[in-house]
Amino acid sequence: MLFENREHAARLLAQRLTPNYKGKNPLVLGIPRGAVPMAKIIAGELGGELDIVLVHKLGYPGQPELAVGAIDEKGNVFAADYMLEIEPEYLELEKKRQLEVLLQRRARYTPGRLPVDPRGRIVIVVDDGIATGSTMTAALRAIRKQEPKRLVAAVAVASAMAARAMSREADAIVCLNVPADFYAVGQFFKDFSQVTDDDVVAILRRHEARIVAVG
């Protein structure tokens, strides 16, 4: 399956999620940056609330795009099996570096407010695509600790390995495409334009302004 863009993928995911979650005020959490525009669409279609979950992959030495694990904003680490091969000194430096990135993003994305509390709620964690599953696993575990009523992973495309990882962490998964040949998330989107920090801030502020106006 080839998606036109993130909006196309988000609307397909919303269709799959609608029968079970529309009208139940789910909390829809996008993993910045790419999944936030998708989470906005899904939250709108389901009548849910939008927020973010902050996690960041830990990069392999010399190959930062290859994840050896992931870290959440509280410093909890999910470690892939091959993280054991990495020098401890490098890992500590990488953890500190990525945790600082997350702290900066939190300050920029949601200044002046706490994250929306997922406790007791249906929570849908959204990503545009996952290769190793490290960041989604870290995100699901971070939310699981906060005792949601039901935890759902929603993603446009995933490798078979990542899909298996999600199924172990979430109560339910919705994945539109699990291809036999997976090289990179971008290969499954005609338009995979970069989502910037400014884009994320604008989306969250518009959502918050809409809630205030309705309230």
Side-chain angles (χ1 to χ4, degrees), residues 87-160:
E87 291 291 334
E89 293 81 3
Y90 168 83
L91 284 177
E92 286 305 311
L93 181 61
E94 179 69 354
K95 291 175 187 177
K96 290 179 182 179
R97 182 163 47 235
Q98 301 307 341
L99 184 57
E100 181 61 30
V101 169
L102 294 179
L103 294 175
Q104 291 173 358
R105 286 184 174 179
R106 176 59 70 187
R108 183 171 185 180
Y109 293 166
T110 60
R113 73 166 176 87
L114 295 173
V116 177
D117 188 359
R119 191 177 309 276
R121 298 186 63 175
I122 296 170
V123 179
I124 302 172
V125 180
V126 180
D127 207 354
D128 47 18
I130 53 177
T132 66
S134 293
T135 52
M136 178 59 89
T137 297
L140 292 170
R141 289 185 179 182
I143 300 304
R144 178 72 77 187
K145 290 179 179 180
Q146 300 177 69
E147 301 180 358
K149 177 180 179 181
R150 184 168 178 80
L151 184 57
V152 182
V155 61
V157 59
S159 67

Coordinates of all heavy atoms in Angstrom, one line a residue, residues 87-160:
E87 N 29.2 0.5 23.6 CA 30.0 0.9 24.7 C 29.1 1.7 25.7 O 28.4 2.6 25.3 CB 31.2 1.8 24.3 CG 32.2 1.1 23.5 CD 33.0 0.1 24.3 OE1 33.1 0.4 25.6 OE2 33.5 -0.8 23.8
P88 N 29.2 1.4 27.0 CA 28.4 2.1 28.0 C 28.6 3.6 28.0 O 27.6 4.3 28.3 CB 28.9 1.5 29.3 CG 29.4 0.1 29.0 CD 30.0 0.3 27.6
E89 N 29.8 4.0 27.8 CA 30.1 5.5 27.8 C 29.3 6.2 26.7 O 28.8 7.3 26.9 CB 31.6 5.7 27.6 CG 32.5 5.3 28.8 CD 32.8 3.8 28.7 OE1 32.4 3.1 27.8 OE2 33.4 3.3 29.7
Y90 N 29.3 5.5 25.5 CA 28.5 6.1 24.4 C 27.1 6.2 24.8 O 26.4 7.2 24.5 CB 28.7 5.3 23.1 CG 27.8 5.7 22.0 CD1 28.0 6.8 21.2 CD2 26.6 5.0 21.9 CE1 27.1 7.2 20.3 CE2 25.6 5.4 20.9 CZ 25.9 6.5 20.1 OH 25.0 6.9 19.2
L91 N 26.5 5.1 25.3 CA 25.1 5.1 25.7 C 24.7 6.1 26.7 O 23.6 6.8 26.5 CB 24.7 3.7 26.2 CG 24.6 2.6 25.2 CD1 24.3 1.2 25.9 CD2 23.5 2.9 24.1
E92 N 25.5 6.3 27.7 CA 25.2 7.4 28.6 C 25.2 8.7 28.0 O 24.3 9.6 28.3 CB 26.2 7.3 29.8 CG 26.0 6.2 30.7 CD 24.6 6.1 31.3 OE1 24.1 7.1 31.8 OE2 24.0 5.0 31.3
L93 N 26.1 9.0 27.1 CA 26.1 10.3 26.4 C 24.9 10.4 25.5 O 24.3 11.5 25.5 CB 27.4 10.4 25.6 CG 27.6 11.7 24.8 CD1 27.7 12.9 25.8 CD2 28.9 11.7 24.0
E94 N 24.6 9.4 24.8 CA 23.4 9.4 23.9 C 22.1 9.6 24.7 O 21.2 10.4 24.3 CB 23.4 8.1 23.1 CG 22.2 8.0 22.1 CD 22.3 9.0 20.9 OE1 23.2 9.8 20.9 OE2 21.4 8.9 20.1
K95 N 22.0 9.0 25.8 CA 20.8 9.1 26.7 C 20.7 10.6 27.1 O 19.6 11.2 27.0 CB 20.9 8.2 27.9 CG 20.7 6.8 27.6 CD 20.9 6.0 28.9 CE 21.0 4.5 28.6 NZ 21.2 3.7 29.9
K96 N 21.8 11.2 27.6 CA 21.7 12.6 28.0 C 21.4 13.5 26.9 O 20.6 14.4 27.0 CB 23.1 12.9 28.6 CG 23.4 12.3 30.0 CD 24.7 12.7 30.5 CE 25.0 12.0 31.8 NZ 26.4 12.3 32.3
R97 N 22.0 13.2 25.7 CA 21.7 14.1 24.5 C 20.3 14.0 24.1 O 19.6 15.1 23.9 CB 22.6 13.6 23.4 CG 22.5 14.4 22.1 CD 23.7 14.2 21.2 NE 24.0 12.8 21.0 CZ 25.2 12.2 21.3 NH1 26.2 13.0 21.7 NH2 25.4 11.0 21.1
Q98 N 19.7 12.8 24.0 CA 18.3 12.7 23.6 C 17.3 13.2 24.6 O 16.2 13.7 24.3 CB 18.0 11.3 23.1 CG 18.9 10.8 22.0 CD 18.9 11.7 20.8 OE1 18.1 12.6 20.6 NE2 20.0 11.6 20.0
L99 N 17.6 13.0 25.9 CA 16.8 13.5 27.0 C 16.7 15.0 26.9 O 15.6 15.6 27.2 CB 17.3 13.0 28.3 CG 16.4 13.4 29.5 CD1 15.0 12.8 29.4 CD2 17.0 12.8 30.8
E100 N 17.8 15.6 26.7 CA 17.8 17.1 26.5 C 16.9 17.6 25.4 O 16.2 18.6 25.5 CB 19.3 17.6 26.3 CG 19.4 19.1 26.2 CD 18.9 19.8 27.5 OE1 19.0 19.3 28.6 OE2 18.4 21.0 27.3
V101 N 17.0 16.8 24.3 CA 16.1 17.1 23.1 C 14.6 17.1 23.6 O 13.8 17.9 23.2 CB 16.4 16.1 22.0 CG1 15.3 16.3 20.9 CG2 17.7 16.4 21.4
L102 N 14.3 16.0 24.3 CA 12.9 15.9 24.8 C 12.5 17.0 25.7 O 11.4 17.5 25.6 CB 12.7 14.5 25.5 CG 12.9 13.3 24.6 CD1 12.7 12.0 25.4 CD2 11.9 13.3 23.4
L103 N 13.4 17.4 26.6 CA 13.1 18.5 27.5 C 12.8 19.8 26.8 O 11.9 20.6 27.1 CB 14.2 18.6 28.6 CG 14.3 17.4 29.5 CD1 15.5 17.6 30.4 CD2 13.1 17.2 30.4
Q104 N 13.7 20.0 25.8 CA 13.5 21.2 25.0 C 12.2 21.2 24.2 O 11.5 22.2 24.1 CB 14.7 21.4 24.0 CG 16.0 21.7 24.7 CD 17.2 21.6 23.7 OE1 17.0 21.3 22.5 NE2 18.4 21.9 24.3
R105 N 11.8 20.0 23.7 CA 10.6 19.9 22.9 C 9.4 20.1 23.9 O 8.4 20.8 23.5 CB 10.5 18.5 22.3 CG 11.4 18.4 21.0 CD 11.2 17.1 20.3 NE 11.9 17.1 19.1 CZ 12.0 16.0 18.3 NH1 11.2 14.9 18.5 NH2 12.7 16.1 17.2
R106 N 9.4 19.6 25.0 CA 8.3 19.8 26.0 C 8.1 21.2 26.3 O 7.0 21.8 26.3 CB 8.5 19.0 27.3 CG 7.5 19.2 28.3 CD 6.1 18.8 27.9 NE 5.9 17.4 27.7 CZ 4.8 16.8 27.2 NH1 3.8 17.6 26.8 NH2 4.7 15.5 27.0
A107 N 9.2 21.9 26.5 CA 9.1 23.4 26.9 C 8.6 24.2 25.7 O 7.9 25.1 25.9 CB 10.5 23.9 27.2
R108 N 8.9 23.7 24.5 CA 8.4 24.5 23.3 C 7.0 24.1 22.9 O 6.2 24.9 22.5 CB 9.4 24.2 22.1 CG 9.0 25.0 20.9 CD 10.1 24.9 19.8 NE 9.8 25.7 18.7 CZ 10.6 25.8 17.6 NH1 11.7 25.1 17.5 NH2 10.2 26.6 16.6
Y109 N 6.7 22.8 23.0 CA 5.4 22.4 22.4 C 4.2 22.7 23.4 O 3.2 23.1 22.9 CB 5.4 20.8 22.2 CG 6.3 20.3 21.1 CD1 6.7 19.0 21.0 CD2 6.9 21.2 20.2 CE1 7.5 18.5 20.0 CE2 7.7 20.7 19.2 CZ 8.0 19.4 19.1 OH 8.9 18.9 18.1
T110 N 4.4 22.5 24.7 CA 3.3 22.7 25.6 C 3.7 23.6 26.8 O 3.6 23.1 27.9 CB 2.8 21.3 26.1 OG1 3.8 20.6 26.8 CG2 2.3 20.4 25.0
P111 N 4.1 24.8 26.5 CA 4.6 25.6 27.6 C 3.4 26.0 28.5 O 2.3 26.3 28.0 CB 5.1 26.9 26.9 CG 4.4 26.9 25.6 CD 4.2 25.4 25.2
G112 N 3.6 26.0 29.8 CA 2.6 26.5 30.7 C 1.5 25.5 31.0 O 0.5 25.8 31.7
R113 N 1.6 24.2 30.6 CA 0.6 23.2 31.0 C 1.3 21.8 31.1 O 2.3 21.6 30.5 CB -0.5 23.2 30.0 CG -0.2 22.5 28.6 CD -1.5 22.2 27.9 NE -1.2 21.7 26.5 CZ -1.1 20.4 26.3 NH1 -1.0 19.5 27.2 NH2 -0.9 20.0 25.0
L114 N 0.6 21.0 31.8 CA 1.1 19.6 32.0 C 0.5 18.8 30.8 O -0.5 19.1 30.2 CB 0.6 19.0 33.3 CG 1.2 19.7 34.6 CD1 0.5 19.1 35.8 CD2 2.7 19.5 34.6
P115 N 1.1 17.6 30.5 CA 0.5 16.7 29.6 C -0.9 16.3 30.0 O -1.1 16.2 31.2 CB 1.5 15.5 29.6 CG 2.8 16.0 30.1 CD 2.4 17.1 31.1
V116 N -1.7 16.0 29.1 CA -3.1 15.5 29.4 C -3.0 14.2 30.1 O -2.2 13.3 29.7 CB -4.0 15.4 28.2 CG1 -5.3 14.8 28.5 CG2 -4.1 16.7 27.5
D117 N -3.7 14.0 31.2 CA -3.6 12.8 32.0 C -4.3 11.6 31.3 O -5.5 11.7 31.1 CB -4.2 13.0 33.4 CG -4.0 11.9 34.4 OD1 -3.4 10.9 34.0 OD2 -4.5 12.0 35.5
P118 N -3.6 10.5 31.0 CA -4.3 9.4 30.3 C -4.9 8.4 31.3 O -5.6 7.5 30.8 CB -3.1 8.7 29.6 CG -1.9 9.0 30.5 CD -2.2 10.3 31.1
R119 N -4.8 8.6 32.6 CA -5.4 7.6 33.5 C -6.9 7.4 33.3 O -7.7 8.3 33.3 CB -5.1 8.1 35.0 CG -5.4 7.1 36.0 CD -5.0 7.6 37.4 NE -3.7 8.2 37.4 CZ -2.6 7.5 37.6 NH1 -2.7 6.2 37.8 NH2 -1.4 8.1 37.6
G120 N -7.2 6.1 33.2 CA -8.6 5.8 33.1 C -9.3 6.0 31.7 O -10.5 5.9 31.6
R121 N -8.5 6.4 30.7 CA -9.0 6.8 29.4 C -8.6 5.8 28.3 O -7.6 5.1 28.4 CB -8.5 8.2 29.0 CG -9.0 9.3 30.0 CD -8.6 10.7 29.5 NE -9.3 11.0 28.2 CZ -9.2 12.2 27.6 NH1 -8.5 13.1 28.2 NH2 -9.8 12.4 26.5
I122 N -9.4 5.8 27.3 CA -8.9 5.2 26.0 C -7.8 6.0 25.4 O -8.1 7.2 25.2 CB -10.1 5.0 25.0 CG1 -11.1 4.0 25.6 CG2 -9.6 4.4 23.7 CD1 -12.4 4.0 24.8
V123 N -6.7 5.5 25.2 CA -5.5 6.2 24.7 C -5.1 5.6 23.4 O -4.8 4.4 23.3 CB -4.4 6.3 25.7 CG1 -3.2 7.1 25.1 CG2 -4.8 6.9 27.0
I124 N -5.0 6.4 22.3 CA -4.5 5.9 21.0 C -3.2 6.6 20.7 O -3.1 7.9 20.6 CB -5.6 6.3 19.9 CG1 -6.9 5.6 20.3 CG2 -5.0 5.8 18.6 CD1 -8.0 6.0 19.4
V125 N -2.1 5.9 20.6 CA -0.8 6.4 20.3 C -0.6 6.2 18.8 O -0.7 5.1 18.3 CB 0.3 5.7 21.1 CG1 1.7 6.3 20.8 CG2 0.0 5.8 22.6
V126 N -0.3 7.4 18.1 CA -0.2 7.4 16.7 C 1.3 7.6 16.2 O 2.0 8.4 16.8 CB -1.1 8.5 16.1 CG1 -1.0 8.6 14.6 CG2 -2.5 8.3 16.6
D127 N 1.7 6.9 15.2 CA 2.9 7.2 14.5 C 2.7 7.0 13.0 O 1.8 6.2 12.6 CB 4.0 6.2 15.0 CG 5.4 6.9 14.8 OD1 5.5 8.0 14.2 OD2 6.4 6.3 15.3
D128 N 3.5 7.7 12.2 CA 3.4 7.5 10.8 C 3.9 6.2 10.3 O 3.4 5.6 9.3 CB 4.0 8.7 10.0 CG 5.4 9.1 10.5 OD1 6.0 8.2 11.1 OD2 5.8 10.2 10.2
G129 N 5.0 5.7 10.9 CA 5.5 4.4 10.5 C 6.6 4.0 11.5 O 7.3 4.9 12.1
I130 N 6.9 2.7 11.6 CA 7.9 2.3 12.6 C 8.7 1.2 11.9 O 8.2 0.2 11.3 CB 7.3 1.8 13.9 CG1 6.2 0.8 13.7 CG2 6.8 3.0 14.7 CD1 5.6 0.3 15.0
A131 N 10.0 1.3 12.1 CA 10.9 0.3 11.5 C 11.3 -0.7 12.5 O 11.1 -1.9 12.4 CB 12.1 1.0 11.0
T132 N 12.0 -0.3 13.6 CA 12.4 -1.2 14.7 C 11.4 -1.4 15.8 O 11.4 -2.4 16.5 CB 13.7 -0.8 15.3 OG1 13.5 0.5 16.0 CG2 14.8 -0.5 14.2
G133 N 10.6 -0.4 16.0 CA 9.6 -0.5 17.1 C 10.1 0.1 18.4 O 9.3 0.2 19.3
S134 N 11.3 0.6 18.4 CA 11.8 1.1 19.7 C 11.1 2.3 20.2 O 10.7 2.4 21.4 CB 13.3 1.5 19.5 OG 14.1 0.4 19.2
T135 N 10.8 3.3 19.3 CA 10.1 4.5 19.8 C 8.7 4.3 20.2 O 8.2 4.7 21.2 CB 10.2 5.7 18.8 OG1 9.7 5.2 17.5 CG2 11.6 6.2 18.7
M136 N 8.0 3.5 19.4 CA 6.6 3.1 19.8 C 6.5 2.3 21.0 O 5.7 2.6 21.9 CB 5.9 2.4 18.6 CG 4.5 2.0 18.9 SD 3.3 3.3 19.3 CE 2.8 3.7 17.6
T137 N 7.5 1.4 21.2 CA 7.5 0.6 22.4 C 7.7 1.5 23.6 O 7.0 1.4 24.7 CB 8.6 -0.5 22.4 OG1 8.3 -1.4 21.3 CG2 8.7 -1.2 23.7
A138 N 8.7 2.4 23.5 CA 8.9 3.3 24.6 C 7.7 4.2 24.9 O 7.4 4.5 26.1 CB 10.1 4.2 24.3
A139 N 7.0 4.7 23.9 CA 5.8 5.5 24.1 C 4.7 4.7 24.7 O 4.1 5.2 25.7 CB 5.4 6.0 22.7
L140 N 4.5 3.5 24.3 CA 3.4 2.7 24.9 C 3.7 2.3 26.3 O 2.8 2.4 27.2 CB 3.2 1.4 24.1 CG 2.7 1.6 22.7 CD1 2.8 0.3 21.9 CD2 1.2 2.1 22.7
R141 N 5.0 2.0 26.6 CA 5.3 1.7 28.0 C 5.2 3.0 28.9 O 4.8 2.9 30.1 CB 6.7 1.2 28.1 CG 6.8 -0.2 27.5 CD 8.2 -0.8 27.7 NE 8.3 -2.2 27.1 CZ 9.3 -2.9 27.2 NH1 10.5 -2.5 27.7 NH2 9.3 -4.2 26.6
A142 N 5.5 4.1 28.4 CA 5.4 5.4 29.2 C 4.0 5.6 29.5 O 3.6 6.0 30.6 CB 6.0 6.5 28.4
I143 N 3.1 5.4 28.6 CA 1.6 5.6 28.8 C 1.1 4.5 29.7 O 0.2 4.8 30.6 CB 0.9 5.7 27.5 CG1 1.4 6.9 26.7 CG2 -0.6 5.9 27.8 CD1 1.4 8.3 27.4
R144 N 1.5 3.3 29.5 CA 1.0 2.2 30.3 C 1.2 2.4 31.8 O 0.3 2.1 32.6 CB 1.7 0.9 29.9 CG 1.2 -0.3 30.6 CD -0.2 -0.8 30.3 NE -0.2 -1.5 29.0 CZ -1.3 -1.8 28.4 NH1 -2.5 -1.6 28.9 NH2 -1.3 -2.5 27.2
K145 N 2.3 3.0 32.1 CA 2.6 3.3 33.5 C 1.6 4.2 34.2 O 1.5 4.3 35.4 CB 4.0 3.9 33.7 CG 5.1 2.9 33.4 CD 6.5 3.5 33.5 CE 7.6 2.5 33.3 NZ 8.9 3.1 33.4
Q146 N 0.9 5.0 33.3 CA -0.1 6.0 33.8 C -1.5 5.4 33.8 O -2.4 6.2 34.0 CB 0.0 7.2 33.0 CG 1.4 7.9 33.0 CD 1.5 9.1 32.1 OE1 0.9 10.1 32.4 NE2 2.3 9.0 31.0
E147 N -1.6 4.1 33.7 CA -2.9 3.4 33.9 C -4.1 3.9 33.0 O -5.1 4.2 33.5 CB -3.3 3.4 35.3 CG -2.2 2.8 36.2 CD -2.6 2.9 37.7 OE1 -3.7 3.4 38.0 OE2 -1.8 2.4 38.5
P148 N -3.9 3.8 31.7 CA -5.0 4.1 30.8 C -6.1 2.9 30.9 O -5.7 1.8 31.3 CB -4.4 4.1 29.4 CG -3.2 3.2 29.5 CD -2.7 3.4 30.9
K149 N -7.3 3.2 30.5 CA -8.3 2.2 30.5 C -8.0 1.2 29.4 O -8.2 0.0 29.5 CB -9.7 2.9 30.3 CG -10.8 1.9 30.1 CD -12.1 2.6 29.9 CE -13.3 1.7 29.7 NZ -14.6 2.5 29.5
R150 N -7.6 1.7 28.2 CA -7.3 0.9 27.1 C -6.2 1.6 26.3 O -6.3 2.8 26.0 CB -8.5 0.6 26.2 CG -8.3 -0.3 25.0 CD -9.6 -0.7 24.4 NE -9.5 -1.6 23.2 CZ -9.2 -2.9 23.3 NH1 -9.1 -3.5 24.5 NH2 -9.1 -3.7 22.2
L151 N -5.2 0.8 25.8 CA -4.1 1.4 25.1 C -4.0 0.8 23.7 O -3.9 -0.4 23.5 CB -2.8 1.1 25.9 CG -1.5 1.7 25.4 CD1 -1.6 3.2 25.3 CD2 -0.3 1.3 26.2
V152 N -4.1 1.7 22.7 CA -4.2 1.3 21.3 C -3.0 2.0 20.6 O -2.7 3.1 20.7 CB -5.5 1.8 20.7 CG1 -5.6 1.4 19.2 CG2 -6.7 1.3 21.5
A153 N -2.4 1.2 19.7 CA -1.3 1.7 18.8 C -1.9 1.8 17.4 O -2.5 0.8 16.9 CB -0.1 0.7 18.8
A154 N -1.7 2.9 16.8 CA -2.2 3.2 15.4 C -1.1 3.7 14.6 O -0.5 4.7 14.9 CB -3.4 4.2 15.5
V155 N -0.8 3.0 13.5 CA 0.3 3.3 12.7 C 0.0 3.0 11.2 O -0.7 2.0 10.9 CB 1.6 2.6 13.1 CG1 1.4 1.1 13.1 CG2 2.8 3.0 12.4
A156 N 0.5 3.8 10.3 CA 0.3 3.6 8.9 C 1.0 2.4 8.4 O 0.4 1.5 7.7 CB 0.7 4.8 8.1
V157 N 2.3 2.3 8.7 CA 3.1 1.2 8.1 C 4.1 0.7 9.2 O 4.6 1.6 9.9 CB 3.8 1.6 6.8 CG1 4.7 2.8 7.0 CG2 4.5 0.4 6.2
A158 N 4.3 -0.6 9.2 CA 5.3 -1.1 10.2 C 6.0 -2.3 9.6 O 5.4 -3.1 8.8 CB 4.6 -1.5 11.5
S159 N 7.2 -2.5 10.0 CA 7.9 -3.7 9.7 C 7.3 -4.9 10.5 O 6.6 -4.6 11.5 CB 9.4 -3.6 10.0 OG 9.6 -3.6 11.4
A160 N 7.5 -6.1 10.0 CA 6.9 -7.2 10.7 C 7.4 -7.3 12.2 O 6.7 -7.6 13.1 CB 7.2 -8.5 10.0

